[in-house]
Amino acid sequence: MGNSEPGTPPVIGIIGGSGVYDIDGLTDTEWRTIDSPFGASSDALLFGRLGGQQLVFLPRHGRGHVQSPTTINYRANIDALKRAGVTEVISVSAVGSLKEELPPGSFVIVDQFIDRTFAREKSFFGDGLVAHVSMAHPTCRRLGRALAEACSALDIPHRVGGTYLTMEGPQFSTKAESALYRSWGCDVIGMTNMPEAKLAREAELCYATVAMVTDFDCWHPDHDHVTVEQIVKVLLDNAERARTLVTRTVPALAGRHTSCEAGCHRALDAALITAPEKRDPARLALLDAVAGRVLES
Ligand SMILES: CSC[C@H]1O[C@H](OP(=O)(O)O)[C@H](O)[C@@H]1O
Ligand SMILES: Nc1ncnc2[nH]cnc12
């Protein structure tokens, strides 16, 4: 089960988005299904090693891209990663650009989100055990720094920091929506990173997203609408660079000997509000992995 106490070695989880259905260069690989009380994860998890580092990969939409952004079981995915021992999660995602200066091919190390999704389970907690975690800084600055350094070393055009608007989908935005999100100052748009980032925080996992721009959405005067065909053309090259980026980033994360300096591994310290004697045993049983650290003490 997940363990992020000081001194425990990191286990890096990679959630691969559109176009990223495997990771190159892993040794000792095994696809393993992890049972979760929250249901079925998008696919089995690929366990392996990269150099000396233990790594667990999950294709967000399943191999062959069979799950839509709305039907992905985000809770099962994060719970399964936690049960697999993962301590930090790198999310790789295709996005549309809402800024002229972020053309297709650019990478953004996202540090903020706006959540416009409305048809998804967004919390592990609820009646019987209520918790409120901070989402002021939704990504881990340490993971973000490692990703940015790897982008620089690989000469990948990238921006450090940016706001990712999560829409419900699966249809792309209307022009009016795209203009609205631009007026809010958002940088990129996608359909998956919420509630994923919220759930990673509740599960006390470090989380950072590398967003790979595939298109200009539909606001751009020279790009009247988005199509999957256009996206896939850019996606294949982006996905190849993302795999290289992950390979380069993972060794930099291997040397952590204390729990995350940004506090991700202690997100539940001040989050539970339900009185101990009022907690629902059925809810507690679901939370053995996600909240075991704070429930056992
Ligand atoms: C294939 S384009 C739309 C699809 O791609 C993004 O998914 P992911 O974040 O998993 O790369 C976007 O959010 C949509 O789900
Ligand atoms: N324009 C866009 N809108 C939403 N999700 C996307 N994923 C890739 N491009 C996108």
Side-chain angles (χ1 to χ4, degrees):
M1 199 166 292
N3 190 345
S4 44
E5 289 301 317
T8 55
V11 176
I12 315 295
I14 312 289
I15 302 182
S18 301
V20 183
Y21 309 110
D22 57 28
I23 291 283
D24 303 328
L26 296 190
T27 55
D28 307 326
T29 56
E30 186 190 355
W31 285 93
R32 227 186 289 159
T33 301
I34 302 289
D35 290 331
S36 163
F38 294 96
S41 53
S42 297
D43 203 330
L45 274 53
L46 176 64
F47 290 73
R49 300 192 80 80
L50 196 62
Q53 177 58 49
Q54 205 188 329
L55 198 139
V56 181
F57 173 75
L58 173 63
R60 180 184 284 123
H61 302 269
R63 282 166 285 178
H65 204 119
V66 290
Q67 308 245 320
S68 90
T70 296
T71 60
I72 288 170
N73 187 337
Y74 296 94
R75 293 197 302 181
N77 284 355
I78 295 294
D79 182 68
L81 288 169
K82 182 86 181 178
R83 283 175 198 279
V86 164
T87 52
E88 22 254 273
V89 174
I90 297 174
S91 138
V92 180
S93 272
V95 291
S97 169
L98 297 170
K99 293 272 165 75
E100 185 77 56
E101 63 274 21
L102 292 172
S106 320
F107 283 22
V108 179
I109 314 302
V110 169
D111 66 351
Q112 282 295 331
F113 295 100
I114 291 180
D115 185 2
R116 293 262 302 168
T117 65
F118 49 81
R120 306 171 187 196
E121 293 286 353
K122 297 196 182 193
S123 179
F124 290 109
F125 298 91
D127 294 355
L129 184 56
V130 179
H132 304 282
V133 294
S134 168
M135 289 301 294
H137 303 284
T139 63
C140 174
R141 62 171 187 265
R142 188 175 52 87
L143 287 195
R145 212 162 42 225
L147 285 164
E149 282 166 9
C151 280
S152 298
L154 294 167
D155 277 333
I156 294 175
H158 68 284
R159 219 248 337 255
V160 180
T163 299
Y164 173 126
L165 184 295
T166 317
M167 62 181 295
E168 183 60 47
Q171 301 84 0
F172 294 116
S173 311
T174 64
K175 277 185 179 282
E177 287 164 339
S178 200
L180 177 67
Y181 305 147
R182 272 167 56 75
S183 78
W184 290 349
C186 300
D187 298 289
V188 293
I189 180 163
M191 303 177 189
T192 60
N193 277 209
M194 283 291 183
E196 194 173 85
K198 288 176 172 168
L199 295 165
R201 175 60 48 82
E202 287 187 347
E204 302 194 310
L205 300 175
C206 301
Y207 182 90
T209 286
V210 50
M212 315 178 301
V213 175
T214 51
D215 55 271
F216 268 120
D217 205 39
C218 62
W219 62 270
H220 196 286
D222 301 337
H223 302 270
D224 193 41
H225 53 244
V226 193
T227 67
V228 167
E229 193 183 13
Q230 274 166 30
I231 288 180
V232 167
K233 279 191 192 139
V234 183
L235 198 64
L236 298 179
D237 175 58
N238 279 355
E240 197 46 51
R241 290 185 301 149
R243 284 195 199 88
T244 313
L245 176 62
V246 165
T247 309
R248 179 82 185 212
T249 306
V250 163
L253 299 172
R256 176 177 63 72
H257 297 298
T258 58
S259 64
C260 177
E261 70 201 29
C264 311
H265 296 157
R266 300 207 160 267
L268 293 177
D269 272 358
L272 307 186
I273 190 161
T274 306
E277 68 281 8
K278 294 282 189 182
R279 293 177 183 174
D280 173 11
R283 171 77 64 177
L284 294 178
L286 299 177
L287 291 167
D288 59 327
V290 162
R293 186 185 71 82
V294 283
L295 294 177
E296 280 157 17
S297 57

